[in-house]
Each structure stands twice: as structure tokens, then as C-alpha cells.
Amino acid sequence: MWGGRFADGPSSIMREINASIPFDKKLWRQDIRASLAHVAMLAETGIVEAEDATQIIQGLNQIAQEFEAKGIAENLDLEDIHMHVEARLAEIIGPVAGRLHTARSRNDQVATDFKLWVRDAMDMVDDALEALQSVLITRAEEHAETIMPGFTHLQSAQPVSLGHHLMAYYEMFRRDRMRFSDARSRLNESPLGAAALAGTGFPIDRNKTAVMLGFDRPTSNSLDSVSDRDFALDYLMAATQCSLHLSRLAEEFVIWASQPFGFIKLPDSFSTGSSIMPQKRNPDAAELVRGHSGRIAGAMTALVMTMKGLPLAYSKDMQDDKPPVFEAHDLLGLSLSAMTGMIAEVAFNEVKMRELAESGFSTATDFADWLVREAKLPFREAHHVTGEVVALAEKQGCGLAELTLEQFQIIDARISKNVFDVLSIDASVASRLSYGGTAPNQVKVQIGQAKQDLGLED
Ligand code: ARG
């Protein structure tokens, strides 16, 4: 394709380092779609004769059928997917095929193809995230009233609703969807027609191809158009953030599935056994979701490093933009499906959760708040009195609710018997009705809002 000024062909090593077909063959649908739009525009603007355009269109459609049916026969000499399509087109329709590449370059072509691919990837992730949100809502609704220990520093802090805990992840995935959709709207400008870097002297119509390919408008600067990979980085950064959320949830599942916690039993379908220890039931899927997030962040870092020192406009380094994006997308898709499956089927052990929520003096804050509200102590003083009460209970080896009124009153005479109303974990959780709080009634409000946002009936 570019051999005119070369006497010798490339060495076999050059051929290998130069070729992107082993990975960019994934772009064949986008490549053909963009070529169909390009040639239709060339015909409409009179740059290519109508009969030639018809032949090119028929040839491209035939290639699409062939690739669909038989895959792509890779040839490293043909470098990339763009040359594979063009070479096959020449085999089918002869020299007329050479007219397709009028007024474009592989530089704007690859930017266009890759944008189309990443746009589809963003749409797939959005669907998967919506499915994940919807199972979170289902399980949260089931467990709005289930009480578990809430932690800070992984130390029992205050009892919370399990539904509330699950809805925290709903919020993270809601923000992830916003990030992808924001990135998608920024991506959606067509680079086609920027040609190699400087635009073209042919009277092309970039608006036409932009509309045909579902872009909002053409890009405004031809140099930027062929050197911009922000859209791929935006995808990878959003994917990294999303995988971080998945990883944190996966980590909680790993902890919760361990024997000392015993909060959950993961379904057989998402667990494995051990070849030596017959009792084992390992949370492999959760661990791999946690592990994959490291690889996704690695892919993001790889493209950041590739791009950081490149002058305008296109440099061949940019060919390395695709493998990290493809890898991250595969890993993210799998992680989202695995997490959705695990959440749908995980069994929560309400008894174990409750037991642990009762321990660790988790209603100490409720007691301190009672002192402020009912006995009118300043919060700092209440905090101190509560500390003494906790120390006494710890010495007695009992919970706060098991202390007698006399014992309370030895520490502070202002404590009266209705203090016992606030010491149970049920009372504690039910009292936290502040907007966004953990009271089951408030959690149900959050769930109702989420259902409305997702268009699920309430
Ligand atoms: N295979 C190349 C890539 O993926 C296509 C663009 C080649 N452009 C060039 N000037 N060599 O980036």
C-alpha cells in the first residue's frame, strides 16, 4: 500500500512489530461502517463517480458477510484492519477499490473506527451497570430491615441496615454510569475527514459522514482529531473507577464469606472447592473481580504512559492504544456480570449479622445522644460519661442494655430508666431517619427513588 518509494520490503521483524491486525481486527465492523459512510459522501459530493461508489459499497457489504461467516485471514504484510479491508476490496472489485481512500488517511480512519468501538463499549457497560443496579435494589428491598454491624476502621461502629449498605454501592454505580455517559458525549464528534493531519483539498462534507455515523458533529481541528485519544483514556479512567467500586464490594464479600464473619454464603455457581481441603468453599469469583481491577487500572496507566510524550499529530505509538482498551473492556464486562450474578444469588445470614451487630457496644453513640437530648448534657461531656459506661460494661462482660439502672446512676445520676429505649440495635437503626440515613423507613425512601430513576415500578 505504501511501497512506491521503497526498494526492499520490510524485514520479518519489522513486519511483526508494525502489524496491528492481530488485535485491531476487532474493529472490522466499525471500519466497514465508516468506509460505507465515507464512500456515500464521496459520491454525493461528486468526488467519486456514482457507479464506482456502487461497486465499492457492494464490495464492502460482501466483505462484511465474509468476515461475519469466516473471520479474517490475517496477513502481517497488510498491517492492520484498514489495509485488510482495502486489499480484499481490490480482490473483489479491482482497481476501483483504490478510489475509496480518496480524501482520507488511515489516521482519521483509525480514530473514527476506534471511537465507534469505544462508544459501543460504553453503551454495553451502561447496560451492564443498570442490570447490576437493579439486582442491588432487589436485594436491598428484601433486606431494608435486616440489621448488620456498620464499621469504621473495620471495627464495629454503629448498627446499620443491610439494605442501606447495599444501596451505598447502588450510588457508586450510579456515579459510574454518569462518568461513562459524560465521556460518551465528549467522544461523540467525528474525526473522519481530518485526513492525515491537515484536512483535505477535496470538497468533502464532514457533516454528512458525522451524521451517518451517529456523531453529533465533526471535530473542529484536524490536528487534534488524529492525535486525540482522550476518548479511550476517558473510557479507561471511568472503567478504572468502576472496577474500584466492584473491587471494594468484592473485598467485602471475601471478608463476609470468611468463617469468623459468616455473614454470607456465596452460591455454588460462584465458588470453588479446594483440591486438598474438602471443607473449603472459596470466593474465587469475588477475588478475581478484586484482582481484575488491578489489571484494569494497569491498562489505564499503560495508555496514559503511551500518550504522555507524543507531539502532534499521529505517531505510531498510538497504535498501542487498542490492546489496553480491549483488555480492560473484557475484564470489566466479566467483572460486572460476575458481581451481578453473585449479588442476585448470595445468601445473607441475618442471625450472624445481628449477633455481631449486638456486640462491640455499637449503640454507645445512641446512649451519648440520649444524654444530650434527655439529660441536656453537652455532647463532649456525654461522650465522656458514655466512655465510663462502656468501660463498666466491658468489665462486667455484658452489653450496655444489660447494665442495671443503679449501675448507670452510679456513673451519672441524671440517667433515668427510659435510657433503655435507645440501647437496642433496632431502636438505634430505626432512629436514624435523617435524609440518607440508615433507618429502614429512610432506606425504603432511597430505594423508591432509585426504582423511579431506573424506571422500575414501585
Ligand atoms: N494501524 C494504525 C493504528 O492503529 C493505523 C494508522 C496508521 N497510520 C500511519 N500513519 N501509519 O494506529
Side-chain angles (χ1 to χ4, degrees):
M1 300 269 169
W2 39 254
R5 77 184 290 278
F6 290 84
D8 293 323
S11 82
S12 64
I13 292 172
M14 180 56 203
R15 201 172 294 142
E16 195 175 334
I17 195 172
N18 200 36
S20 53
I21 187 64
F23 52 85
D24 71 14
K25 62 185 172 196
K26 258 189 200 287
L27 300 178
W28 73 260
R29 286 187 183 81
Q30 291 74 16
D31 194 69
I32 290 176
R33 186 175 168 201
S35 285
L36 284 168
H38 182 65
V39 73
M41 179 279 291
L42 290 178
E44 275 185 51
T45 49
I47 298 168
V48 161
E49 301 284 335
E51 306 86 79
D52 291 348
T54 306
Q55 280 194 60
I56 291 172
I57 290 167
Q58 284 168 353
L60 288 170
N61 286 327
Q62 180 181 331
I63 296 172
Q65 283 169 8
E66 288 174 7
F67 285 180
E68 195 72 72
K70 298 198 285 281
I72 300 167
E74 289 176 40
N75 174 357
L76 295 195
D77 286 330
L78 291 173
E79 274 188 48
D80 56 25
I81 186 59
H82 324 295
M83 305 241 258
H84 275 69
V85 172
E86 201 180 321
R88 182 66 192 126
L89 188 64
E91 282 170 7
I92 300 172
I93 65 171
V96 174
R99 299 199 182 279
L100 171 59
H101 212 55
T102 314
R104 78 172 185 191
S105 147
R106 276 186 297 153
N107 295 350
D108 59 337
Q109 196 181 354
V110 72
T112 306
D113 294 1
F114 198 26
K115 273 194 169 185
L116 292 173
W117 192 93
V118 171
R119 193 174 69 185
D120 286 347
M122 287 171 171
D123 292 342
M124 277 185 249
V125 170
D126 188 65
D127 287 347
L129 276 168
E130 187 174 359
L132 175 55
Q133 284 182 306
S134 134
V135 296
L136 279 167
I137 290 176
T138 305
R139 300 312 307 267
E141 196 163 33
E142 248 173 84
H143 290 286
E145 320 246 350
T146 303
I147 296 181
M148 66 175 284
F151 301 97
T152 62
H153 314 269
L154 200 56
Q155 307 280 315
S156 287
Q158 292 171 348
V160 296
S161 141
L162 170 58
H164 191 52
H165 193 115
L166 294 173
M167 287 304 286
Y169 284 96
Y170 170 90
E171 289 296 319
M172 295 178 226
F173 297 126
R174 184 175 67 80
R175 292 195 296 274
D176 288 334
R177 289 182 69 190
M178 289 165 68
R179 260 182 285 274
F180 280 108
S181 118
D182 180 45
R184 190 194 195 282
S185 63
R186 244 192 324 273
L187 163 151
N188 213 27
E189 295 182 344
S190 172
L192 196 57
L197 75 165
T200 174
F202 289 100
I204 57 171
D205 184 345
R206 295 192 58 210
N207 281 303
K208 190 131 261 156
T209 43
V211 168
M212 281 191 277
L213 296 171
F215 288 111
D216 298 329
R217 63 191 80 84
T219 50
S220 307
N221 180 302
S222 62
L223 289 167
D224 175 53
S225 310
V226 292
S227 66
D228 165 34
R229 291 297 180 272
D230 294 10
F231 63 92
L233 285 165
D234 271 352
Y235 173 86
L236 288 169
M237 288 174 189
T240 299
Q241 179 68 72
C242 176
S243 77
L244 250 149
H245 294 147
L246 289 166
S247 181
R248 293 182 70 176
L249 181 50
E251 166 69 357
E252 301 220 80
F253 275 14
V254 170
I255 294 173
W256 292 358
S258 71
Q259 284 71 25
F261 272 79
F263 282 5
I264 56 169
K265 187 170 173 214
L266 285 166
D268 287 354
S269 47
F270 286 100
S271 308
T272 61
S274 155
S275 51
I276 177 167
M277 297 166 284
Q279 86 284 10
K280 285 299 282 280
R281 178 187 180 80
N282 297 327
D284 292 42
E287 291 169 289
L288 285 164
V289 168
R290 194 177 57 186
H292 285 358
S293 70
R295 291 172 64 191
I296 292 169
M300 185 268 288
T301 312
L303 188 53
V304 168
M305 290 297 114
T306 297
M307 294 305 297
K308 77 180 243 319
L310 299 185
L312 295 184
Y314 179 87
S315 299
K316 195 69 175 235
D317 318 39
M318 288 164 67
Q319 178 165 286
D320 280 343
D321 57 358
K322 287 159 221 78
V325 172
F326 292 157
E327 186 191 22
H329 183 63
D330 286 347
L331 293 171
L332 184 62
L334 209 47
S335 298
L336 285 165
S337 304
M339 191 48 85
T340 304
M342 278 187 277
I343 294 168
E345 292 174 51
V346 65
F348 294 104
N349 187 334
E350 298 173 38
V351 176
K352 264 311 256 289
M353 287 186 170
R354 193 174 176 89
E355 229 170 73
L356 213 70
E358 303 267 10
S359 72
F361 312 109
S362 64
T363 56
T365 316
D366 300 273
F367 175 64
D369 288 348
W370 183 90
L371 290 172
V372 171
R373 216 174 37 243
E374 307 290 325
K376 309 292 177 217
L377 272 66
F379 183 78
R380 278 293 148 229
E381 195 184 339
H383 188 285
H384 185 79
V385 171
T386 307
E388 286 181 53
V389 167
V390 167
L392 176 65
E394 196 165 41
K395 202 161 112 214
Q396 307 279 318
C398 68
L400 298 183
E402 278 110 53
L403 292 172
T404 64
L405 183 59
E406 292 68 41
Q407 286 173 316
F408 275 114
Q409 285 176 338
I410 291 169
I411 292 172
D412 195 301
R414 289 168 289 187
I415 301 172
S416 64
K417 75 172 187 332
N418 64 5
V419 74
F420 290 98
D421 295 347
V422 302
L423 296 179
S424 77
I425 57 173
D426 300 280
S428 166
V429 171
S431 74
R432 300 191 187 281
L433 274 162
S434 55
Y435 182 75
T438 202
N441 284 341
Q442 180 57 226
V443 173
K444 288 173 194 165
V445 170
Q446 299 163 25
I447 292 173
Q449 182 61 53
K451 281 174 131 177
Q452 209 178 316
D453 291 348
L454 254 56
L456 305 168
E457 91 245 70
D458 206 2

